[in-house]
Amino acid sequence: MRVLKFGGTSVGNAESIRAVVEIIAARERPLVAVFSAFSGITNKLNSCLTMASERDSGYHRLLDETEDRHVNTALELLRPGNAAEVASQIRDLKARLSDILNGISNIGEVTTRSSDMVLGFGELMSIRVIYKALSERLGDLALVDAREMIFTRLVNGEERADMETTVKAIEEKLSDNPGVIVTSGFISTSVKGYATTLGRGGSDQTASLIAAAMDAELLEIWTDVSGIFTADPAYTEDAHAIAELSYAEALELSHFGAKVIYPPSIHPVMGKRIPVLVKNTFAPSDRGTLITEKASPNGNIIKAISSTDRICLVSLSGSGMAGVVGIASRLFSTLAINHINVILITQASSEQSICIAIDELHGERAKEVIDEEFEFEIRSGRVRPAILESGYSIIAIVGEGMKHSVGISGQAFSALGRNGVNIHAIAQGSSELNVSAVVKMIDCRKAVDSIHQEFFRSAGKLINLFIVGAGNVGTAFIEQVLTQSGYFEKEYRTEFRITGLANSRKMVIRAKGIRGAEWKRQMMESERSTDLQKFTEEMFDLNLPNSIFIDNTSSPEVTGLYQSILERSISIVTCNKIAASSAYDSFINLKKLAIAKRAHFRFESNVGAGLPVIQTIDNMIKTGDRLIRIEAVLSGSLNFIFNSFCEGMKFSEAVEKAIKGGYTEPDPLIDLRGTDISRKLLILVRESGIRLEASEIELTDYLPHPLPDKFDPGTFNSLMRDYDDFFEMKREGVADRSEKLRIIARYSNSLAGISLDAVGPAHPFYILEGNDNIVSLFSNRYYERPLIIKGAGAGADVTASGIFADILSIINN
Ligand code: ADP
Ligand code: ASP
Ligand code: MG
């Protein structure tokens, strides 16, 4: 014999009930089918209780809705005569329910008994509709009232299944099975005769009790997901069904929030070694999850992650606790007497503090009773009053494989650390089946997702990119990410997802990612004007693991957001030089903040675009070298201008060509004034570990008369022509000596400066093509001859590749 349980999610409406009827019709006989209330109805009845107890007459409306839902389902599902019969039964039930709620409203109080009585009406109503639907299709059917076979007894203030009476009653009621017996889950009767329930989610337990009492060959739990998943599928996109679990694993998972199966439902079948199969009503051919005594390992060390929300932490501490026998026992007895369930316990080995996690509902009460119990110790200062903190979740990592493996919790916790999730308490059962961590509720989803990615994501890591700026560099970067994505997925099991994108006009944010090749169209069609504050706030709210913020702009408004972004442990990669060249202290503070928050702040493309300059200096310093002197041509645009002009082009023409080629900043005055080179030199010197401010860099003016304050594309060209004669003379001078003009940035002996110099053929800066940059680093190790880095130092593609390289180094970290 088999027992099948169909949850509320399987009997929410006419269409799903039809699917259930077909599943039962196709099953081998004999079987017993157990049904929950329609989805959402128990919650609705719960709201009725609250309203009635507060004398809010709104519960009448909820009752009408409950009635309508059942009657309409009956009308849609059943033949007219049967529908009318069921409708009248529903109306009777509603009238009785209404009387009870009116009574509660008159008294203004709900008791456990009246609450159980009301909540059970969901199952009483649903069975009427379902039984009739089955009887229209099956001939071998009987209905048994669950209240006549599931009995409870009051234990420690809670109604619990009374095995002896229940087993006897089930044997008696179900011994005569014409083929299919249907009954309700959840509802029961106290051994003293009043209505009770088995607790929320309790239909699973009804089915399990029946399976155990009848020695069923299998218990099938039919729900709306294809088994027990590696994490709540409503929560984690990549979760997938687990083929096999042991009873112990299922118990741990359900205890810590996997509500797909109700924890007390495991024990009855476990005692009889009856396998449990979790199946999907809406995909019946899916394999589902089989729970048995000893599940075969599936190659994964951990099987799944579950989480419970709305937890509070209560800590009891004090120097008077160490070495004193009986403190823990008093603490837990007090909680037990007050019916407060403890979900997780941690005690530091100093024995000076005990921390427990409990349901938030009981937080205040727990503190009250603990403070009362330890009143004497608190008064004498040996114990401090209990501290209550709310807003937590518990994440549990479950798997029998953990027993034999080293470093699993380390791996899980470092995934949390990398994503800036702080762990407030940790517990591991001595069975090593479960490691649990308490985190803030706002981080719960990110925590589950990060651990899930760490252990399960078949496609490897998922990196969420939030990109601001989609101009030349931004576009080149996005195109590089898109073209390389297949390669990264295959070779490095890393998927890049553009989750947020903003340009100066519009923004798009999609938790599931902006569809690759269509990003331009999606930006164009977006109805959201760019609001950077909102952009970052939404990024924080999404709180996705492996989020990286990429700044492809040159805007101070964006750098103004860096601090808040790093505060949230989100890494920043930028080609925007403003932050790294701002006041020394604010720059260093950002770097320190990144370290404190385990995030990264990377700006390799600030100097020399894609050239590995900052990375090289970093490595030199880290390995104990010390920079003595830096000489560099750092402006790809100025180098391009002076190269082109030295080869015969007029100065103004060379400037125009540099702008058109995208080698200058959007505002070319920043290049021409030397501001850009200044910033780059500043960054290099700072990366060498030296404190330097922009004002300390000496800029020797190389132009005969000052530049305008503002860039005006209309008049810019004619302005540049005013410089042509001056530079023509300069060229003739250097050409006679076979020299070339270069704008050179230098640092040595605490002096930093920038000047226009002529270099001869023997100088390493003589041969520089197009927009090349060159950096000569003189150090303790590179003393006689410098370490030289040279190559294209401007342009969208190379800058984008510098950004990409930063992202890869973050991922590899
Ligand atoms: P039913 O009404 O069938 O009893 P429940 O809502 O009680 O259904 O349980 C099914 C739900 O449990 C799923 O829809 C899913 O959102 C949730 N759930 C939580 N954790 C898990 C998990 N690890 N695997 C599968 N489902 C889970
Ligand atoms: N209907 C009850 C509830 O929602 C029992 C169940 O569905 O298992 O909790
Ligand atoms: Mg359930």
Side-chain angles (χ1 to χ4, degrees):
M1 196 218 44
R2 286 180 182 208
V3 178
L4 284 66
K5 176 257 167 175
F6 294 88
T9 53
S10 299
V11 292
N13 53 42
E15 199 189 330
S16 47
I17 296 174
R18 277 191 206 107
V20 169
V21 171
E22 288 318 310
I23 289 167
I24 294 177
R27 271 289 182 283
E28 248 174 61
R29 303 323 193 220
L31 67 86
V32 177
V34 178
F35 295 94
S36 295
F38 285 8
S39 57
I41 292 294
T42 319
N43 285 344
K44 211 168 236 191
L45 295 174
N46 214 6
S47 307
C48 287
L49 280 167
T50 314
M51 286 177 163
S53 69
E54 290 166 357
R55 301 204 162 113
D56 171 351
S57 63
Y59 67 86
H60 290 292
R61 182 181 45 83
L62 297 189
L63 285 184
D64 290 344
E65 286 171 12
T66 305
E67 176 187 352
D68 288 350
R69 172 115 177 257
H70 289 87
V71 170
N72 292 340
T73 308
L75 288 170
E76 196 183 332
L77 191 64
L78 305 173
R79 290 182 202 128
N82 285 338
E85 186 189 328
V86 169
S88 122
Q89 290 168 341
I90 298 292
R91 269 183 222 112
D92 288 349
L93 285 166
K94 181 205 165 187
R96 270 168 48 204
L97 180 55
S98 184
D99 285 346
I100 302 167
L101 285 165
N102 291 343
I104 292 173
S105 176
N106 285 336
I107 305 166
E109 187 193 14
V110 195
T111 61
T112 318
R113 284 198 201 174
S114 54
S115 159
D116 269 353
M117 191 180 273
V118 167
L119 294 182
F121 272 80
E123 270 69 10
L124 293 179
M125 289 184 176
S126 72
I127 199 75
R128 293 284 146 206
V129 183
I130 297 162
Y131 173 67
K132 234 353 156 220
L134 282 165
S135 70
E136 285 186 1
R137 176 83 161 78
L138 314 174
D140 53 352
L141 188 69
L143 173 67
V144 169
D145 189 335
R147 292 169 298 179
E148 293 171 10
M149 58 179 172
I150 310 292
F151 289 94
T152 62
R153 185 180 292 279
L154 203 58
V155 182
N156 284 336
E158 247 178 69
E159 294 289 347
R160 304 239 180 98
D162 184 75
M163 294 310 285
E164 214 184 302
T165 10
T166 301
V167 169
K168 224 191 265 161
I170 291 174
E171 281 168 354
E172 192 187 306
K173 292 278 171 190
L174 301 185
S175 58
D176 193 11
N177 188 339
V180 176
I181 292 181
V182 297
T183 189
S184 310
F186 185 54
I187 50 175
S188 47
T189 308
S190 139
V191 285
K192 295 205 168 142
Y194 50 86
T196 57
T197 70
L198 296 178
R200 294 306 306 271
S203 298
D204 296 333
Q205 195 186 356
T206 308
S208 172
L209 289 166
I210 294 175
M214 300 300 289
D215 280 321
E217 76 201 56
L218 182 68
L219 166 62
E220 298 178 10
I221 303 283
W222 289 81
T223 181
D224 64 342
V225 283
S226 295
I228 300 186
F229 278 54
T230 47
D232 187 344
Y235 227 63
T236 307
E237 207 182 302
D238 295 303
H240 49 268
I242 307 159
E244 289 185 35
L245 279 177
S246 68
Y247 293 121
E249 287 169 332
L251 200 54
E252 294 285 343
L253 282 174
S254 60
H255 182 69
F256 285 100
K259 72 162 181 168
V260 62
I261 190 149
Y262 183 50
S265 60
I266 308 282
H267 291 289
V269 277
M270 187 164 109
K272 289 278 181 91
R273 298 192 181 182
I274 298 167
V276 180
L277 183 60
V278 180
K279 294 277 286 178
N280 188 346
T281 303
F282 309 101
S285 55
D286 283 1
R287 190 167 158 200
T289 299
L290 184 68
I291 306 170
T292 53
E293 176 79 15
K294 201 155 179 51
S296 38
N298 63 353
N300 285 330
I301 292 168
I302 74 168
K303 286 272 181 75
I305 306 146
S306 60
S307 64
T308 333
D309 282 347
R310 291 192 191 82
I311 295 296
C312 67
L313 292 179
V314 185
S315 354
L316 187 67
S317 61
S319 54
M321 284 166 65
V324 179
V325 178
I327 296 266
S329 132
R330 277 168 64 198
L331 173 69
F332 295 118
S333 312
T334 308
L335 294 169
I337 292 165
N338 288 283
H339 314 306
I340 298 169
N341 181 34
V342 178
I343 307 174
L344 175 147
I345 308 162
T346 61
Q347 179 176 23
S349 60
S350 69
E351 293 183 41
Q352 291 196 14
S353 72
I354 301 180
C355 173
I356 53 164
I358 57 177
D359 190 318
E360 250 179 29
L361 277 179
H362 308 304
E364 299 284 345
R365 177 91 188 114
K367 175 175 164 48
E368 216 173 274
V369 299
I370 295 171
D371 285 351
E372 236 167 64
E373 172 65 34
F374 292 96
E375 197 191 345
F376 173 72
E377 286 85 351
I378 292 172
R379 259 198 282 132
S380 61
R382 282 158 51 212
V383 170
R384 281 186 282 276
I387 296 171
L388 172 68
E389 295 166 286
S390 306
Y392 290 97
S393 300
I394 300 180
I395 316 278
I397 308 164
V398 173
E400 307 241 26
M402 288 198 289
K403 271 180 222 161
H404 317 291
S405 314
V406 180
I408 299 306
S409 25
Q411 198 183 340
F413 296 147
S414 70
L416 295 185
R418 275 200 308 278
N419 285 290
V421 176
N422 193 20
I423 302 169
H424 296 263
I426 296 174
Q428 176 174 23
S430 57
S431 63
E432 286 187 51
L433 188 66
N434 168 344
V435 179
S436 319
V438 178
V439 301
K440 275 273 176 207
M441 219 160 98
I442 44 162
D443 285 330
C444 179
R445 190 191 188 113
K446 179 154 81 170
V448 173
D449 261 1
S450 331
I451 299 176
H452 195 270
Q453 278 197 34
E454 186 72 27
F455 291 100
F456 292 108
R457 195 160 193 281
S458 49
K461 260 192 210 142
L462 174 65
I463 311 295
N464 290 289
L465 304 176
F466 290 84
I467 306 170
V468 175
N472 285 342
V473 173
T475 303
F477 168 69
I478 294 169
E479 293 302 333
Q480 282 181 16
V481 170
L482 296 179
T483 31
Q484 286 305 93
S485 65
Y487 171 77
F488 277 101
E489 273 173 46
K490 194 159 159 263
E491 297 295 323
Y492 298 101
R493 304 198 332 121
T494 298
E495 185 190 333
F496 291 102
R497 182 174 281 183
I498 300 172
T499 314
L501 181 57
N503 63 17
S504 52
R505 282 161 289 117
K506 293 189 168 179
M507 63 184 209
V508 186
I509 295 186
R510 299 250 190 289
K512 300 223 159 151
I514 294 164
R515 290 275 299 271
E518 292 170 30
W519 70 271
K520 278 193 182 145
R521 190 178 55 76
Q522 292 197 34
M523 278 296 265
M524 250 156 43
E525 287 172 3
S526 169
E527 282 168 5
R528 304 190 62 189
S529 315
T530 293
D531 177 336
L532 290 173
Q533 207 69 40
K534 285 217 175 91
F535 185 84
T536 44
E537 271 161 23
E538 281 179 43
M539 172 173 79
F540 300 154
D541 288 346
L542 281 174
N543 209 5
L544 297 170
N546 306 327
S547 292
I548 303 180
F549 180 86
I550 295 135
D551 176 6
N552 291 325
T553 72
S554 52
S555 144
E557 198 195 342
V558 185
T559 52
L561 300 165
Y562 286 5
Q563 176 159 352
S564 63
I565 294 171
L566 292 173
E567 294 271 9
R568 306 296 289 253
S569 296
I570 294 174
S571 294
I572 296 175
V573 173
T574 180
C575 61
N576 185 343
K577 299 173 199 83
I578 294 176
S581 59
S582 60
Y584 183 82
D585 284 334
S586 30
F587 164 63
I588 291 298
N589 285 343
L590 284 179
K591 285 191 115 183
K592 284 186 182 158
L593 180 61
I595 294 167
K597 296 289 174 183
R598 294 198 62 180
H600 300 267
F601 172 37
R602 292 277 161 92
F603 40 86
E604 177 66 82
S605 54
N606 276 6
V607 182
L611 297 179
V613 184
I614 292 181
Q615 185 189 319
T616 305
I617 295 181
D618 248 23
N619 286 339
M620 288 167 83
I621 303 293
K622 276 187 197 140
T623 56
D625 202 356
R626 199 177 64 83
L627 265 129
I628 298 169
R629 183 149 66 95
I630 301 173
E631 267 182 21
V633 170
L634 290 175
S635 169
S637 40
L638 289 185
N639 192 47
F640 178 87
I641 291 167
F642 283 105
N643 255 338
S644 313
F645 143 83
C646 285
E647 277 153 23
M649 201 180 275
K650 280 192 181 147
F651 181 77
S652 58
E653 287 167 356
V655 173
E656 194 182 352
K657 201 170 165 202
I659 297 174
K660 283 210 176 118
Y663 301 141
T664 62
E665 291 286 309
D667 174 355
L669 292 174
I670 293 182
D671 295 293
L672 290 170
R673 269 197 210 107
T675 321
D676 185 59
I677 324 173
S678 237
R679 284 177 178 163
K680 288 172 176 166
L681 178 62
L682 186 65
I683 294 168
L684 288 191
V685 174
R686 285 174 172 181
E687 283 307 287
S688 316
I690 296 157
R691 183 185 188 108
L692 186 73
E693 296 291 355
S695 56
E696 295 172 71
I697 298 177
E698 194 175 331
L699 196 69
T700 316
D701 219 347
Y702 66 96
L703 295 169
H705 49 85
L707 286 159
D709 286 341
K710 262 185 114 82
F711 172 56
D712 172 2
T715 58
F716 190 71
N717 243 337
S718 71
L719 260 168
M720 287 297 105
R721 268 181 250 128
D722 291 348
Y723 295 114
D724 281 348
D725 289 345
F726 167 81
F727 278 108
E728 202 46 44
M729 273 164 55
K730 269 221 167 266
R731 178 177 29 212
E732 281 163 17
V734 292
D736 289 348
R737 301 193 302 269
S738 304
E739 288 176 340
K740 284 186 177 177
L741 288 171
R742 301 283 178 240
I743 301 246
I744 300 179
R746 290 191 178 83
Y747 175 83
S748 71
N749 284 330
S750 309
L751 293 178
I754 290 157
S755 52
L756 179 64
D757 291 327
V759 294
H763 196 283
F765 293 3
Y766 183 81
I767 301 173
L768 281 185
E769 310 278 325
N771 58 13
D772 277 359
N773 274 197
I774 186 162
V775 181
S776 299
L777 302 170
F778 297 82
S779 67
N780 284 350
R781 286 182 197 144
Y782 295 91
Y783 193 77
E784 305 264 312
R785 278 159 293 114
L787 187 158
I788 296 179
I789 303 161
K790 177 181 162 188
D797 269 338
V798 281
T799 309
S801 72
I803 295 170
F804 208 167
D806 271 345
I807 292 176
L808 297 182
S809 90
I810 290 177
I811 297 168
N812 292 334
N813 250 294

